[in-house]
Amino acid sequence: MSQSNPIIVVIEDDPAIRLFLRTGLGAHGFKIFEADRGQQGIIEAGVRKPDLIILDLGLPDMDGVEVINSIRGWSTLPIIVLSARSLEQHKINALDAGADDYLTKPFGLGELLARIRVALRHASSSPAQDDGGMFVIGDLKVDLLKRLVQVGDRDVHLTPIQYRLLALLIKNAGKVLTHQYILKEVWGPSYKDNSHYLRIYMSQLRQKLEADPTQPHYLLTESGVGYRLKV
């Protein structure tokens, strides 16, 4: 990530929203480059070497998911989708294609800035994880090398599947992971439609890791889409 004035490429065909982003993000120290077409945006992403992309799905020349697929062919840079499409399947399609986050229009600048900060931290190898494989956030400590989990001073025993689920969330800390992606990575491709497995194990993890499992602080639900480990 750039040390100062991080670069953001905005791929959005609505001039009013581009102006809002250029003004709002520019005031917070971001350097903005714009494109109003998908193909132009892909070129800008390659030329500008941005720290992050903000992408609309409903572009005149191509669908935003195609843009994600194209960029993911050569880069892992963070992509935040802004779209008027509010159906859960649209969010799932974008996230499964490789987007890091999804905000539905209309959105607030404050929330977008918070999502940008999370995406940039994740892209720079989250500072919550050190070189020794220790992940620390709040009272939660996970030694990824020794496979040890602690909440405060309390050791927490996890089953192998519970640990694989937690380790996957840590690896992608701050990023929304869809139900199907988690099921495929933890249980295998043949389980990608068995979402009840995931609900059960996430509930078990919350019982073991959260002070109040009904109001989780670490293991957050993205309604109808998936889960996110808060950083």
Side-chain angles (χ1 to χ4, degrees), residues 6-95:
I7 296 171
I8 295 179
V9 167
V10 174
I11 308 174
E12 165 67 65
D13 66 322
D14 188 325
I17 293 179
R18 290 203 310 274
L19 175 61
F20 173 75
L21 293 173
R22 183 192 322 135
T23 304
L25 297 179
H28 285 81
F30 294 97
K31 187 173 183 179
I32 309 300
F33 294 95
E34 303 171 27
D36 61 2
R37 298 289 190 276
Q39 287 291 353
Q40 180 190 355
I42 293 169
I43 293 170
E44 286 290 308
V47 171
R48 304 298 180 182
K49 307 298 182 188
D51 298 289
L52 182 138
I53 289 175
I54 292 176
L55 171 68
D56 180 30
L57 291 184
L59 298 167
D61 59 335
M62 62 193 299
D63 191 85
V65 172
E66 296 178 73
V67 177
I68 297 170
N69 285 328
S70 176
I71 292 172
R72 282 291 172 259
W74 51 269
S75 176
T76 60
L77 67 93
I79 299 173
I80 296 179
V81 169
L82 297 179
S83 181
R85 301 178 187 176
S86 59
L87 293 179
E88 290 172 355
Q89 192 58 49
H90 293 149
K91 299 180 183 180
I92 291 169
N93 291 344
L95 292 165

Side-chain angles (χ1 to χ4, degrees), residues 31-192:
K31 187 173 183 179
I32 309 300
F33 294 95
E34 303 171 27
D36 61 2
R37 298 289 190 276
Q39 287 291 353
Q40 180 190 355
I42 293 169
I43 293 170
E44 286 290 308
V47 171
R48 304 298 180 182
K49 307 298 182 188
D51 298 289
L52 182 138
I53 289 175
I54 292 176
L55 171 68
D56 180 30
L57 291 184
L59 298 167
D61 59 335
M62 62 193 299
D63 191 85
V65 172
E66 296 178 73
V67 177
I68 297 170
N69 285 328
S70 176
I71 292 172
R72 282 291 172 259
W74 51 269
S75 176
T76 60
L77 67 93
I79 299 173
I80 296 179
V81 169
L82 297 179
S83 181
R85 301 178 187 176
S86 59
L87 293 179
E88 290 172 355
Q89 192 58 49
H90 293 149
K91 299 180 183 180
I92 291 169
N93 291 344
L95 292 165
D96 277 343
D100 293 77
D101 210 340
Y102 192 116
L103 277 178
T104 303
K105 298 175 183 176
F107 58 92
L109 181 62
E111 183 177 8
L112 175 59
L113 285 166
R115 302 291 183 104
I116 289 172
R117 288 192 294 270
V118 168
L120 292 178
R121 284 202 303 270
H122 178 250
S124 60
S125 301
S126 177
Q129 184 176 337
D130 63 26
D131 292 336
M134 181 68 74
F135 177 89
V136 180
I137 178 171
D139 289 336
L140 176 62
K141 291 175 282 188
V142 182
D143 188 327
L144 295 166
L145 298 180
K146 297 180 180 177
R147 299 169 67 95
L148 298 176
V149 180
Q150 286 184 312
V151 176
D153 296 325
R154 174 173 58 89
D155 291 333
V156 178
H157 172 73
L158 299 182
T159 68
I161 289 181
Q162 289 169 353
Y163 181 82
R164 286 205 299 273
L165 175 56
L166 179 60
L168 180 67
L169 291 166
I170 288 173
K171 178 183 176 184
N172 296 278
K175 183 175 180 178
V176 180
L177 302 182
T178 65
H179 297 130
Q180 288 191 344
Y181 177 81
I182 297 173
L183 285 163
K184 177 172 67 71
E185 293 296 313
V186 175
W187 281 271
S190 61
Y191 288 84
K192 62 184 179 68

